[in-house]
């Protein structure tokens, strides 16, 4: 397994290089530049700024210079945040996004699996219909609609929770963002778990276990749960990555100082190094999560060997 993991990690090098190259070229092909503001600066000041950030060099030299810095662990200096490097911006924003996203994914997995199991065991009952309704609503209603509704109801009307803002990881400011991401992800997990468990319960080995007189609780725990979790594990990798896209909306709606807000600001300001640094970080997360999913597969299914 460790040999397989090492091969996968080595295979990600060309993937990372391709992602960085495409993103780098697209950013520089975008009209305008990082210093195009409403207030015009003199040609001398603009020339000094371009020289400071190596923007006066040919594009291929800028690209090689960026790769050299990246190999040294330096994501570069931000064009728009004075006296801040991209490493410092990411270090300040990453804990916020990891806390909100990590707790939301964990809650969505636990609650979604529990709801999926309940719905599968009570197929075509009222509980099953409610779970399916929740799953369909989670897919049909986008996060930029659910978020403002949560803020309006619990923040403005009921005054139970702050409708936005951030104060050093205080729980009351994290409840609504976590609830939003949990609702979106929980709907997917519940639907997948329900369908997977229904299919597993129709297998011959389940019928054999029932014929032996095993109680349903034992059958679910010992025989049906692991194979039913395989599709859930498959969807958790892409679901976690898609939560980053949802975090852009979540952190914008609730004014959180996380990676989502940095992505929006970096793209709006044409901050090349900031956007590239975030792309590199997200790509690394995607590669690692997909690798973890493959390794968990082997733990759940003894027939899988790498």
């Amino acid at each position: 397994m460790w040999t397989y993991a090492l091969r996968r990690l080595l295979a990600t090098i060309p993937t990372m290089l391709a992602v960085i190259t495409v993103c780098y070229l697209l950013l520089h092909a975008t009209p305008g530049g990082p210093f195009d503001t409403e207030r015009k600066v003199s040609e001398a000041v603009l020339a000094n700024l371009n020289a400071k950030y190596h923007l006066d060099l040919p594009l291929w030299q800028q690209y090689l210079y960026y790769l050299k810095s990246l190999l040294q662990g330096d994501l570069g200096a931000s064009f728009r945040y004075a006296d801040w490097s991209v490493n410092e911006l990411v270090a300040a924003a990453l804990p916020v996004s990891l806390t909100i996203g990590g707790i939301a994914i964990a809650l969505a997995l636990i609650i979604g699996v529990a709801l999926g199991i309940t719905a599968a065991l009570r197929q075509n009952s009222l509980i099953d219909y409610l779970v399916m309704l929740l799953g369909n609503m989670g897919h049909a209603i986008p996060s930029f609609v659910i978020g403002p509704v949560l803020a309006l109801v619990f923040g403005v009307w009921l005054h139970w929770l702050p409708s936005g803002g951030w104060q050093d990881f205080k729980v009351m400011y994290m409840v609504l963002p976590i609830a939003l991401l949990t609702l979106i992800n929980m709907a997917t997990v519940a639907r997948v778990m329900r369908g997977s468990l229904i299919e597993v319960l129709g297998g011959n080995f389940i019928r054999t276990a029932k014929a032996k007189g095993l109680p349903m609780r034992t059958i679910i725990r010992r025989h049906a749960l692991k194979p039913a979790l395989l599709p859930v594990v498959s969807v958790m990798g892409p679901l976690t990555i898609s939560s980053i896209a949802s975090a852009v909306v979540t952190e914008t709606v609730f004014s959180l100082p996380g990676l989502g807000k940095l992505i929006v600001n970096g793209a709006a300001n044409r901050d090349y190094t900031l956007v590239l640094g975030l792309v590199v970080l997200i790509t690394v997360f995607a590669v690692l999560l997909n690798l973890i999913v493959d390794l968990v597969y082997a733990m759940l299914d003894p027939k899988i060997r790498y």
Side-chain angles (χ1 to χ4, degrees):
M1 181 182 293
W2 295 112
T3 304
Y4 169 79
L6 181 59
R7 289 202 312 268
R8 282 286 301 271
L9 290 176
L10 292 176
T12 60
I13 295 177
T15 302
M16 293 285 298
L17 185 61
V19 170
I20 294 171
T21 303
V22 171
C23 185
Y24 192 91
L25 295 176
L26 288 176
L27 283 173
H28 283 77
T30 305
F35 306 117
D36 293 342
T37 58
E38 295 181 0
R39 183 174 62 87
K40 296 295 183 180
V41 297
S42 65
E43 294 294 333
V45 173
L46 184 59
N48 289 333
L49 288 173
N50 288 331
K52 176 182 177 181
Y53 295 105
H54 308 284
L55 296 177
D56 57 340
L57 300 175
L59 184 59
W60 66 271
Q61 290 186 10
Q62 297 180 45
Y63 175 70
L64 293 179
Y65 185 87
Y66 181 77
L67 285 183
K68 178 182 177 182
S69 300
L70 190 61
L71 290 175
Q72 297 172 353
D74 183 11
L75 298 176
S78 173
F79 292 164
R80 304 291 295 192
Y81 292 89
D83 301 326
W84 284 79
S85 67
V86 176
N87 295 58
E88 293 171 338
L89 291 172
V90 170
L94 185 59
V96 177
S97 296
L98 284 182
T99 302
I100 299 295
I103 295 175
I105 287 293
L107 290 176
L109 181 61
I110 296 171
I111 300 174
V113 168
L115 289 177
I117 293 174
T118 304
L121 295 178
R122 292 169 174 80
Q123 190 176 2
N124 297 326
S125 66
L126 179 61
I127 295 178
D128 185 21
Y129 294 146
L130 290 176
V131 172
M132 292 302 297
L133 176 63
L134 177 63
N136 291 328
M137 289 178 61
H139 282 281
I141 304 177
S143 57
F144 59 81
V145 174
I146 301 177
V149 169
L150 291 177
L152 179 64
V153 173
F154 296 100
V156 178
W157 291 350
L158 299 178
H159 301 286
W160 289 356
L161 297 166
S163 58
W166 183 260
Q167 288 192 7
D168 197 22
F169 296 94
K170 284 189 177 180
V171 175
M172 59 188 306
Y173 287 89
M174 295 192 292
V175 172
L176 289 182
I178 291 175
L180 172 59
L181 291 177
T182 301
L183 286 173
I184 297 171
N185 296 324
M186 180 183 66
T188 302
V189 174
R191 285 167 56 92
V192 173
M193 186 64 196
R194 173 189 177 275
S196 176
L197 186 58
I198 289 176
E199 182 178 357
V200 170
L201 290 177
N204 293 328
F205 68 101
I206 297 296
R207 285 195 290 268
T208 302
K210 291 180 179 178
K212 291 182 178 180
L214 292 177
M216 183 56 68
R217 179 177 300 180
T218 303
I219 293 175
I220 296 296
R221 187 177 68 253
R222 293 185 180 179
H223 303 287
L225 187 58
K226 281 188 176 182
L229 281 175
L230 289 176
V232 177
V233 172
S234 297
V235 81
M236 285 307 296
L239 199 63
T240 304
I241 298 301
S242 68
S243 296
I244 298 176
S246 301
V248 174
V249 178
T250 304
E251 294 175 7
T252 302
V253 169
F254 295 106
S255 301
L256 304 179
L259 294 179
K261 190 174 182 179
L262 280 184
I263 293 174
V264 174
N265 292 339
N269 295 328
R270 296 183 178 89
D271 195 340
Y272 299 152
T273 52
L274 179 57
V275 174
L276 282 170
L278 294 174
V279 168
V280 170
L281 184 65
I282 293 171
T283 306
V284 169
F285 279 159
V287 168
L288 292 179
L289 285 171
N290 288 329
L291 176 59
I292 291 173
V293 166
D294 288 343
L295 296 181
V296 172
Y297 248 59
M299 299 177 186
L300 293 175
D301 190 349
K303 294 183 293 183
I304 296 178
R305 288 292 180 269
Y306 296 115

